[in-house]
Amino acid sequence: MKRLIYICTLTLVLVACGSRSGYFSLEGRLLNLNQGEFYVYSPDGVFDGVDTIKVEGGRFTFETPCKENGTLVIVFPNFSEQPVFAEPGKSVTISGDASHLKEIEIKGTDENKLMNGFRQQIAKASPPEVTKYAEQFIKNNPQSAVSVYILRKYFVTAKNADAGKTRKLIDIVQKAQPKNGHVARMARHARTMSNCRPGGKMPSFITKDIDGKTVTDADLRGKVAVVYTWADWNYESRNLRDRLTRMKKEYGDRLCLLGISLDASRQRCKASLFGDSTSTIIVCDQKMFDSELLEKFSFGAVPENILFNAQGHVVERDLKLNDIESRLKVLLN
């Protein structure tokens, strides 16, 4: 009888402290948000594709198979992002106010506790201070999954990031996590950060478009071209894609567009393009941030863009929409 009571008690404790074996789960409650939905994806392969978390009565839950530690990224209705660090058999709780998403707190694992502390540290910091805090965090916690996320967000994919400092920080994290394939990919990306800078040449590449047709750099050369990244789950990038599509209709064959989709599902990508009758080239290899094509153009985020002239040289990169329009008017008129 005592043994039965012990087993039942142990079971209750395990259930209370974690998720099912081989799964990761989260549950949360947000004030000032009664109903809605979030997107959630994993940049390092906890699960494939993009899923949806529904909010009802301010509460939400999510569970996913989880074989090894990884990162989930929740995309809120205002398109801000929140990382959640997943571990097999673990669960976390999320609480906060929907009107103050930067102050959300995630409890349940040490990694999420670390992220809470960093988030609080940068809540009211200026951009230069945020970069400084991010650098110090990585140096203090090179073995942490949080450092991998911060390294990618504030250095590897950040616009105008210091390439030398980025490589040094990658080396620090890679030394602490030598078997981490995602860090290895960031190291490869860092080696190509000098690619496709203004004045540089278009890289050689060969890939397949969304319909299986072979696409190479030869398809872009001889025309003014814009290469850009986008994803169905990122509003800013969808807006970029739509504006570029309108420009394509205006300029016709004089303008060539290559859109690199970071969606994990080719079907979802195609559905997002329904009704587009332009000859825009869309590539979706379903590898998200691990796409080899991103390295070719030294892309690491969404959205990003590069404007090439008809001679295949980089005019400028990471332009704002209005600047792209003004540059194209000069190049095409």
Side-chain angles (χ1 to χ4, degrees):
M1 183 67 180
K2 288 182 179 179
R3 180 178 176 82
L4 179 60
I5 292 174
Y6 171 78
I7 292 173
C8 291
T9 303
L10 180 61
T11 301
L12 289 172
V13 170
L14 291 173
V15 170
C17 295
S19 181
R20 293 187 291 161
S21 176
Y23 284 77
F24 172 78
S25 65
L26 62 85
E27 62 177 79
R29 183 180 183 184
L30 292 180
L31 300 175
N32 296 312
L33 180 64
N34 187 47
Q35 288 186 320
E37 62 181 27
F38 311 143
Y39 288 134
V40 59
Y41 69 93
S42 174
D44 50 18
V46 174
F47 66 90
D48 295 329
V50 179
D51 211 333
T52 302
I53 301 176
K54 294 190 178 298
V55 183
E56 295 184 359
R59 298 180 182 274
F60 55 92
T61 61
F62 179 76
E63 184 180 63
T64 181
C66 180
K67 296 181 180 179
E68 58 184 23
N69 294 358
T71 307
L72 308 183
V73 178
I74 298 175
V75 184
F76 291 112
N78 67 350
F79 295 98
S80 63
E81 295 188 345
Q82 173 62 53
V84 179
F85 299 95
E87 299 176 27
K90 297 289 187 178
S91 64
V92 299
T93 59
I94 302 176
S95 60
D97 190 324
S99 60
H100 298 86
L101 291 174
K102 290 184 179 180
E103 299 173 11
I104 279 179
E105 188 171 14
I106 302 175
K107 296 181 179 180
T109 69
D110 291 340
E111 293 287 356
N112 286 294
K113 183 178 180 180
L114 269 177
M115 189 66 204
N116 287 339
F118 177 74
R119 192 183 305 109
Q120 292 167 5
Q121 187 180 38
I122 67 172
K124 297 181 180 179
S126 65
E129 289 174 330
V130 170
T131 302
K132 179 181 176 182
Y133 289 142
E135 179 182 0
Q136 193 59 52
F137 182 96
I138 292 168
K139 290 179 177 179
N140 291 343
N141 306 276
Q143 76 294 339
S144 169
V146 181
S147 285
V148 177
Y149 172 82
I150 290 174
L151 178 60
R152 178 187 288 277
K153 179 176 177 62
Y154 295 101
F155 296 96
V156 175
T157 65
K159 296 177 181 178
N160 303 316
D162 185 317
K165 181 179 293 184
T166 299
R167 285 192 290 268
K168 289 180 180 179
L169 291 173
I170 290 174
D171 288 343
I172 291 172
V173 176
Q174 195 166 29
K175 185 177 180 180
Q177 304 184 46
K179 296 182 180 180
N180 190 319
H182 308 294
V183 179
R185 280 188 284 273
M186 283 195 281
R188 290 198 300 271
H189 173 76
R191 290 194 292 270
T192 64
M193 286 180 72
S194 59
N195 292 354
C196 289
R197 298 292 120 182
K201 293 183 178 180
M202 181 184 298
S204 298
F205 67 89
I206 182 168
T207 187
K208 299 281 188 180
D209 72 6
I210 199 169
D211 295 315
K213 180 183 176 182
T214 299
V215 178
T216 73
D217 52 288
D219 294 303
L220 279 64
R221 297 183 187 278
K223 301 177 182 178
V224 172
V226 179
V227 182
Y228 62 98
T229 60
W230 69 281
D232 184 56
W233 41 264
N234 183 280
Y235 172 79
E236 185 181 356
S237 73
R238 293 204 318 266
N239 187 38
L240 168 66
R241 182 202 66 196
D242 293 345
R243 291 277 291 275
L244 285 171
T245 298
R246 288 198 290 271
M247 288 182 237
K248 173 69 175 172
K249 290 180 179 178
E250 177 182 352
Y251 294 113
D253 291 338
R254 289 183 294 159
L255 173 63
C256 185
L257 300 179
L258 169 59
I260 304 173
S261 169
L262 299 188
D263 286 305
S265 166
R266 191 174 286 115
Q267 287 184 331
R268 190 183 189 99
C269 176
K270 280 189 173 183
S272 181
L273 295 167
F274 182 77
D276 180 4
S277 59
T278 67
S279 55
T280 298
I281 303 169
I282 298 294
V283 172
C284 181
D285 60 14
Q286 304 181 109
K287 296 180 181 179
M288 299 183 76
F289 290 100
D290 290 332
S291 171
E292 291 84 356
L293 201 55
L294 294 186
E295 287 190 23
K296 289 285 188 178
F297 291 96
S298 194
F299 286 145
V302 57
E304 288 187 286
N305 62 78
I306 302 176
L307 174 60
F308 293 93
N309 62 22
Q311 290 71 46
H313 290 93
V314 178
V315 177
E316 203 161 344
R317 64 179 296 147
D318 298 327
L319 288 162
K320 295 181 180 179
L321 269 175
N322 291 337
D323 292 331
I324 292 178
E325 290 183 345
S326 62
R327 299 292 196 284
L328 285 177
K329 285 181 180 179
V330 172
L331 290 171
L332 293 170
N333 292 327

